[in-house]
Amino acid sequence: MRVMAQIAMVMNLDKCIGCHTCSVTCKQAWTNRQGTEYVWFNNVETLPGQGYPRRWEDQEKWRGGWERTRSGTLRLRAGSRLKRLGNIFANPELPGIDDYYQPWTYEYKNLIDAPAGDDLPVARPVSSLTGEPLDTIEWGPNWDDNLGGAPRNAPRDPIVEKIRDEVGERIRFEFEQSFMFYLPRVCEHCLNPACVSSCPSGAMYKREEDGIVLVDQDDCRGWRMCVTGCPYKKVYFNHSTGKAEKCTFCFPRIEVGLPTVCSETCVGRMRYLGVMLYDADKVTEAASVEDEHDLYPSQLGCFLDPHDPAVVAAAKASGITHEWIEAARRSPVYDLIATYQVALPLHPEYRTMPMVWYVPPLSPVVEAVAASGHDGEDAGNLFGAIDALRIPVEYLAELLTAGDTVPVEAVLHRMAAMRAYMRRVNLGEERDESIAAAVGLTGPELEDLFRLLAIAKYEDRYVVPSAARADADALAEAHPLDDACPVGEAAPGRVLLNLSPTRRSA
């Protein structure tokens, strides 16, 4: 057993209101430079929809992630090393700027400086890349926002195309019969990252101490193989610097015990950060299972119980500090993923072992039951309504469990049981332990799950070990501020994304 630690994130889709605050604050912090006009390390998509970049889930086209060979080993979907070497100067499997969007601004000066006259001045859209006027604006990162793209764009959602024959009339895009929910997305910081394996220059690496995947800007040669290799299309090419860039999981904040910017500013308080301990020796085997439906449980099997004395001893032997082990024990992410098993991975069939997980949305069930005139919090009503969920369970399964509906239904039943059980508690009624038993939990466990999902405080949602703070203080003492780079200024030949103390994992 080779124990390693990973900073992971869970997002509760039941609480996302689609305000895009996380996207805006991330962009202001990390992608407000020349060459990143079209880049959104964090974006919020309305599903069903084509997403950003457009149809990023279509791996038949983009060839991202891993595939299992007949011999049971994994290889990149982009092809063999020889094939990728042959395309190194002209990689055809990349989203174009039209798949992302042509970033634009407006000729505001024309409004301000226009002389008085009978005609009303206008501000034409202008490309932020070329400076040339745009005749029409045809696509953007939030083109599907709030059903804005339905019924024109939503039917082209790759998941909808895949399951439409199976669910038939349950997916309809007339406005009054359509369904939607929000999906915030960041880099998955995978345990088995295809982007790292795709990089010919070795510039992409996964940090040993916290699992965060970064790009060394000095080593990057702009081959863009990592863009193809990432099935989530969360690696971007900076056309100004000629380098690849991606979400850094705000590692300068993580290193001093602070949550990511997107988590800190989340209005819905639906993000959770914590430490997961896992057995690195099991990762390849878990990602190589034959049946895609087994990928979710096989990844669960890689995670280690931080309360197990044998795991703690092995973690200490691997060099994991006491602070990180304690953070893993208090991790809300571990509770949601492993203890209560209400969080699921995004597209496990890509075999990258993602580490940003999601609690699927239940709210439409409650609303639908209440709208029919029945008690929307009654356990019996909720359990029965899940099968008729306006968001088809098959859609959620294709998104989160490689098409296996059983884990999704289990999560939705647990969420429904929590609501029904806690309604009785909050009304002062007698606790009904049969509700908890029906989903394999106890009453106190449902109360703890409710505390975590509904009323958890800041320090309960973000459990990030602050052991690195002592290292940062020591570094500051060793290198006085006079000799350091000013805030916001990079050292010559470096980009501020290159702050990681560990170059690459062992």
Side-chain angles (χ1 to χ4, degrees):
M1 179 167 59
R2 184 161 60 100
V3 182
M4 297 190 73
Q6 168 92 30
I7 295 291
M9 180 183 288
V10 168
M11 302 191 209
N12 183 3
L13 300 184
D14 220 24
K15 297 174 71 175
C16 182
I17 62 175
C19 65
H20 300 278
T21 303
C22 53
S23 301
V24 173
T25 52
C26 173
K27 189 159 188 65
Q28 287 297 316
W30 293 105
T31 62
N32 59 354
R33 296 162 284 108
Q34 184 178 354
T36 61
E37 294 88 352
Y38 78 101
V39 172
W40 296 84
F41 288 166
N42 182 112
N43 69 291
V44 181
E45 299 172 2
T46 298
L47 295 182
Q50 297 188 56
Y52 166 79
R54 186 160 28 189
R55 293 176 58 84
W56 61 270
E57 294 165 296
D58 185 1
Q59 302 311 325
E60 295 300 319
K61 179 178 182 180
W62 301 124
R63 312 299 297 168
W66 301 90
E67 61 184 359
R68 188 177 186 273
T69 65
R70 292 181 180 179
S71 61
T73 60
L74 293 181
R75 70 179 177 195
L76 293 169
R77 289 181 64 92
S80 65
R81 185 174 301 179
L82 185 61
K83 178 183 176 182
R84 287 181 283 120
L85 182 62
N87 292 335
I88 198 167
F89 294 109
N91 183 2
E93 291 154 346
L94 290 172
I97 193 62
D98 291 336
D99 294 304
Y100 292 103
Y101 75 111
Q102 182 85 232
W104 72 88
T105 183
Y106 293 96
E107 293 179 323
Y108 294 109
K109 190 175 181 181
N110 189 46
L111 293 178
I112 299 172
D113 297 343
D118 296 332
D119 298 323
L120 183 68
V122 296
R124 293 189 304 172
V126 175
S127 170
S128 297
L129 300 181
T130 66
E132 299 296 324
L134 295 173
D135 294 331
T136 58
I137 298 174
E138 298 179 349
W139 192 255
N142 300 319
W143 216 247
D144 299 318
D145 206 17
N146 294 330
L147 294 174
R152 178 181 179 184
N153 293 322
R156 297 206 65 229
D157 180 328
I159 296 180
V160 171
E161 292 180 345
K162 185 175 182 179
I163 69 172
R164 187 144 209 169
D165 291 339
E166 180 181 352
V167 301
E169 285 297 305
R170 290 175 59 197
I171 291 185
R172 303 182 67 178
F173 293 108
E174 289 83 355
F175 187 80
E176 70 280 1
Q177 296 180 346
S178 58
F179 66 89
M180 56 162 275
F181 63 96
Y182 302 111
L183 180 75
R185 293 206 304 121
V186 297
C187 168
E188 297 286 328
H189 297 276
C190 308
L191 298 183
N192 185 36
C195 59
V196 173
S197 296
S198 300
C199 180
S201 61
M204 189 87 69
Y205 64 101
K206 185 174 179 67
R207 297 211 305 184
E208 184 177 5
E209 67 268 35
D210 52 22
I212 296 175
V213 177
L214 297 173
V215 184
D216 188 318
Q217 299 287 284
D218 283 345
D219 287 349
C220 180
R221 296 294 176 262
W223 301 121
R224 288 172 277 187
M225 291 295 177
C226 53
V227 180
T228 300
C230 174
Y232 304 98
K233 291 297 171 279
K234 277 298 174 182
V235 184
Y236 304 91
F237 182 70
N238 185 318
H239 59 85
S240 178
T241 64
K243 309 285 187 178
E245 298 187 18
K246 60 179 295 298
C247 161
T248 66
F249 231 36
C250 294
F251 70 87
R253 294 173 58 90
I254 294 291
E255 288 174 351
V256 293
L258 295 175
T260 62
V261 168
C262 59
S263 300
E264 180 86 66
T265 59
C266 176
V267 174
R269 298 181 178 180
M270 45 76 73
R271 297 185 187 230
Y272 301 80
L273 279 171
V275 176
M276 296 290 287
L277 301 180
Y278 68 97
D279 187 350
D281 291 335
K282 289 184 177 180
V283 170
T284 301
E285 180 183 355
S288 305
V289 295
E290 182 176 2
D291 189 346
E292 290 184 345
H293 289 180
D294 293 333
L295 286 166
Y296 161 59
S298 68
Q299 184 170 358
L300 272 182
C302 292
F303 300 137
L304 301 173
D305 183 356
H307 303 282
D308 185 340
V311 171
V312 172
K316 291 180 178 178
S318 298
I320 298 176
T321 64
H322 174 74
E323 289 81 1
W324 278 73
I325 295 173
E326 284 301 308
R329 286 173 169 170
R330 298 185 296 111
S331 173
V333 171
Y334 179 82
D335 288 339
L336 294 172
I337 291 176
T339 304
Y340 300 120
Q341 296 186 11
V342 294
L344 301 169
L346 182 64
H347 287 297
E349 68 272 19
Y350 298 160
R351 300 180 183 269
T352 60
M353 311 288 276
M355 289 305 290
V356 176
W357 289 39
Y358 296 86
V359 178
L362 179 69
S363 293
V365 181
V366 181
E367 294 169 1
V369 172
S372 66
H374 296 84
D375 187 348
E377 301 287 351
D378 180 79
N381 292 339
L382 282 177
F383 288 168
I386 285 174
D387 293 333
L389 177 61
R390 216 170 166 188
I391 303 174
V393 173
E394 293 85 353
Y395 186 94
L396 294 174
E398 288 291 341
L399 188 71
L400 300 171
T401 54
D404 186 4
T405 59
V406 174
V408 176
E409 290 173 346
V411 171
L412 294 177
H413 278 88
R414 289 192 172 191
M415 298 284 287
M418 179 192 71
R419 289 200 180 202
Y421 185 90
M422 290 306 302
R423 198 272 297 269
R424 296 180 66 88
V425 172
N426 292 331
L427 291 178
E429 299 177 0
E430 183 179 353
R431 287 169 167 79
D432 186 353
E433 295 300 325
S434 65
I435 296 176
V439 294
L441 296 175
T442 65
E445 286 176 330
L446 283 183
E447 292 188 43
D448 186 57
L449 182 60
F450 173 79
R451 177 198 60 79
L452 188 58
L453 289 176
I455 59 175
K457 296 181 179 179
Y458 183 97
E459 60 270 17
D460 297 321
R461 287 181 284 121
Y462 311 132
V463 181
V464 182
S466 57
R469 187 184 301 274
D471 297 333
D473 293 341
L475 185 64
E477 293 175 3
H479 302 279
L481 202 58
D482 292 345
D483 299 328
C485 289
V487 175
E489 181 179 327
R494 299 291 286 180
V495 175
L496 284 178
L497 300 185
N498 297 331
L499 300 176
S500 64
T502 301
R503 173 59 185 84
R504 51 173 54 83
S505 63

